[in-house]
Amino acid sequence: MSKKIFAVIAIFCGMMGIAQKNNSSPYSYFGIGDPLTLKSVEEMSMGRIGVANDSPFQLSLTNPASYGSLLYTTYVFSGGNKMTNFEDGNDTQTSSHAGFTYLALGIPLGENQGLAFGLQLNTSVGYSLLSYSLDDEENIIQVDEFQGSGGTNRVFLGYGYKFPFGLSLGAETAYIFGSLENSIRNRRLGIQLATKYRVDSWVDGFEFKTGAQYTAPLANELKLKLGVSAVLGNDLTEDSDEVLYSINNTPSNNEIIIDTLYTNNYRSTITFPLKTVLGGGVGKENVWFAGVEYEFMDAISLEGDYYEQQTVYQYTESSRLSLGGSFIPNFNAISNYWQRIEYRAGFSYKKLGLTITDTALNDYGITFGVGLPVGFQLSRVNLGFELGTRGENRDNLVKENYFNFRLSLSLSDKWFRKRELY
């Protein structure tokens, strides 16, 4: 057992160094980056439902109350690849990026309580945009290059307790941290030097989540599952250094700073209001489950000199509606592997809570996936797929048609066993 614990800790520490991965969306420019959905591959494959789900051998990352149902030590590692086709009304472009998304470990503490901790990618910044200025003869006379990279990560620790009358309660605390870099390089035709404006930021703060689940038996071995989780309002602090300097006027990324024209330090505050997730569903244990989930949050607030200069966009109320479910033909089938596979599918629609040039952004998609058993154990290889659309190709905005592939390895085992005496 000690070797297993050491191996998981070593992997966790290694992931700390590579957790930040760029994405390729121009919408990652806003705020502290493109927010990721903090759910497991299993939950994402069911239309992003998970607040009412619990399992003795799978982690549900939406609701910490689910940790009280763990009976097996479960550790999971996940990554994915996203392919996006961008449309701006005049042209199309395709991009792809891959990376780590989360690593977590869940440990049962007796028969009715559990502990979970891990690392998740929280937000991601990754864009590269060009803007051209033309003269009267349609010749390029100026080029502005916008670039961004970085993101934030989330380290969490959660605890859940399951009461004998079907009620589970849980709580989770998380530390959010990460670095961002945003820059604009301005090049003009016939000018020897170009200028570059760069902002390097460090973001950090704490977040707290609570949750509850209730399971009630119905007729014909069916069960009703209800769940609620709430991320309490919290603030993140952003300490930034901005600098304006001159460089050689060449398209090369090998920059040589000629002269520093301006420097400044400032602090901003990103305030997240209460986020609530409600859900429920009906199913038969280890056979099928169908559920619905609704998430809502008031507008994010940005304060500080840097954000007060931003007039192109604003945050508004956000919400999400999800439908999904899963099905296992025969959980205990010995001779037929395909009947032990868990099949998942779902649909989600989200109002992103971001308005750009008076246009509100929405995201909707369909998801599906499978959970492939590893031998005759409870461990699984989970594959998830998502087809979706975000944004609009009007008012100088971009429409994103994306395909997400997600992969996770969920390993479950009994780490703490009583030794038998002979």
Side-chain angles (χ1 to χ4, degrees):
M1 180 190 70
S2 61
K3 292 182 179 180
K4 294 179 181 179
I5 295 177
F6 177 80
V8 171
I9 293 176
I11 294 174
F12 178 83
C13 294
M15 288 300 104
M16 292 287 289
I18 65 172
Q20 290 189 170
K21 296 293 182 182
N22 290 341
N23 75 29
S24 54
S25 171
Y27 295 122
S28 67
Y29 163 81
F30 303 102
I32 59 172
D34 204 359
L36 278 77
T37 303
L38 303 177
K39 291 178 175 286
S40 67
V41 173
E42 297 94 315
E43 295 170 298
M44 294 295 290
S45 300
M46 294 188 292
R48 308 187 184 192
I49 69 170
V51 71
N53 294 356
D54 64 342
S55 171
F57 57 89
Q58 290 183 352
L59 283 180
S60 173
L61 300 178
T62 305
N63 195 337
S66 65
Y67 303 150
S69 298
L70 287 174
L71 297 178
Y72 296 84
T73 299
T74 302
Y75 47 104
V76 293
F77 171 81
S78 175
N81 181 78
K82 184 176 183 178
M83 298 180 61
T84 308
N85 178 262
F86 303 96
E87 301 177 3
D88 63 2
N90 298 314
D91 196 8
T92 62
Q93 188 174 352
T94 302
S95 177
S96 176
H97 68 276
F100 159 84
T101 51
Y102 66 84
L103 172 73
L105 172 65
I107 303 174
L109 305 175
E111 297 293 327
N112 60 350
Q113 52 186 325
L115 186 73
F117 63 91
L119 171 69
Q120 296 170 296
L121 191 62
N122 185 59
T123 65
S124 182
V125 177
Y127 62 88
S128 181
L129 306 171
L130 294 177
S131 175
Y132 300 98
S133 297
L134 306 177
D135 61 16
D136 295 336
E137 299 179 355
E138 301 295 320
N139 296 315
I140 297 175
I141 58 174
Q142 179 175 298
V143 179
D144 291 313
E145 303 172 35
F146 300 82
Q147 291 188 332
S149 61
T152 62
N153 310 297
R154 182 178 185 271
V155 178
F156 70 92
L157 174 65
Y159 170 81
Y161 186 90
K162 186 174 184 178
F163 295 92
F165 45 86
L167 177 67
S168 299
L169 299 177
E172 183 177 286
T173 182
Y175 174 61
I176 297 173
F177 66 97
S179 60
L180 317 173
E181 180 181 316
N182 296 278
S183 67
I184 305 174
R185 181 168 61 170
N186 176 268
R187 299 173 53 231
R188 297 184 181 182
L189 182 67
I191 303 298
Q192 182 180 3
L193 298 179
T195 59
K196 185 167 185 177
Y197 171 74
R198 193 182 76 230
V199 179
D200 297 317
S201 304
W202 173 259
V203 179
D204 69 343
F206 287 91
E207 178 185 87
F208 299 94
K209 181 194 295 186
T210 60
Q213 291 182 332
Y214 180 71
T215 301
L218 303 175
N220 300 320
E221 300 182 348
L222 298 180
K223 289 184 178 181
L224 170 68
K225 292 188 176 184
L226 303 174
V228 57
S229 71
V231 179
L232 307 183
N234 66 290
D235 292 339
L236 297 182
T237 300
E238 182 177 0
D239 293 303
S240 303
D241 297 321
E242 64 175 348
V243 58
L244 176 66
Y245 54 89
S246 60
I247 57 177
N248 288 329
N249 189 2
T250 65
S252 172
N253 290 325
N254 297 323
E255 299 175 352
I256 299 177
I257 299 178
I258 305 300
D259 189 21
T260 300
L261 307 175
Y262 172 79
T263 61
N264 186 34
N265 303 318
Y266 58 85
R267 170 169 288 194
S268 304
T269 302
I270 302 96
T271 300
F272 292 85
L274 174 71
K275 181 171 71 173
T276 305
V277 184
L278 305 170
V282 177
K284 189 174 183 180
E285 200 71 29
N286 293 324
V287 180
W288 64 271
F289 178 81
V292 59
E293 184 171 296
Y294 182 66
E295 171 187 306
F296 57 94
M297 183 180 73
D298 286 337
I300 299 172
S301 174
L302 305 175
E303 297 181 0
D305 293 340
Y306 176 72
Y307 289 113
E308 289 176 358
Q309 303 172 12
Q310 308 296 328
T311 59
V312 176
Y313 70 96
Q314 64 178 1
Y315 286 102
T316 58
E317 296 179 355
S318 63
S319 62
R320 173 180 55 85
L321 177 64
S322 296
L323 304 171
S326 63
F327 173 68
I328 305 176
N330 188 347
F331 183 80
N332 295 313
I334 298 177
S335 59
N336 192 328
Y337 175 83
W338 300 103
Q339 290 191 355
R340 290 190 289 119
I341 294 177
E342 183 174 7
Y343 301 90
R344 311 178 181 110
F347 168 83
S348 70
Y349 172 76
K350 184 173 184 178
K351 295 181 180 179
L352 297 178
L354 179 62
T355 298
I356 305 172
T357 60
D358 297 326
T359 301
L361 299 183
N362 299 318
D363 184 315
Y364 55 92
I366 57 172
T367 62
F368 50 96
V370 293
L372 305 175
V374 178
F376 292 98
Q377 305 177 15
L378 296 175
S379 301
R380 293 174 182 249
V381 174
N382 298 291
L383 306 178
F385 309 89
E386 182 178 20
L387 290 169
T389 298
R390 177 171 70 164
E392 304 283 346
N393 58 354
R394 59 184 177 87
D395 298 330
N396 295 319
L397 298 180
V398 175
K399 181 179 181 180
E400 299 179 351
N401 299 304
Y402 60 83
F403 172 74
N404 270 321
F405 168 70
R406 301 181 177 95
L407 169 68
S408 75
L409 177 61
S410 177
L411 302 177
S412 301
D413 195 7
K414 282 281 189 179
W415 281 14
F416 304 96
R417 301 176 186 267
K418 292 184 179 181
R419 294 191 176 184
E420 297 181 3
L421 299 179
Y422 299 94

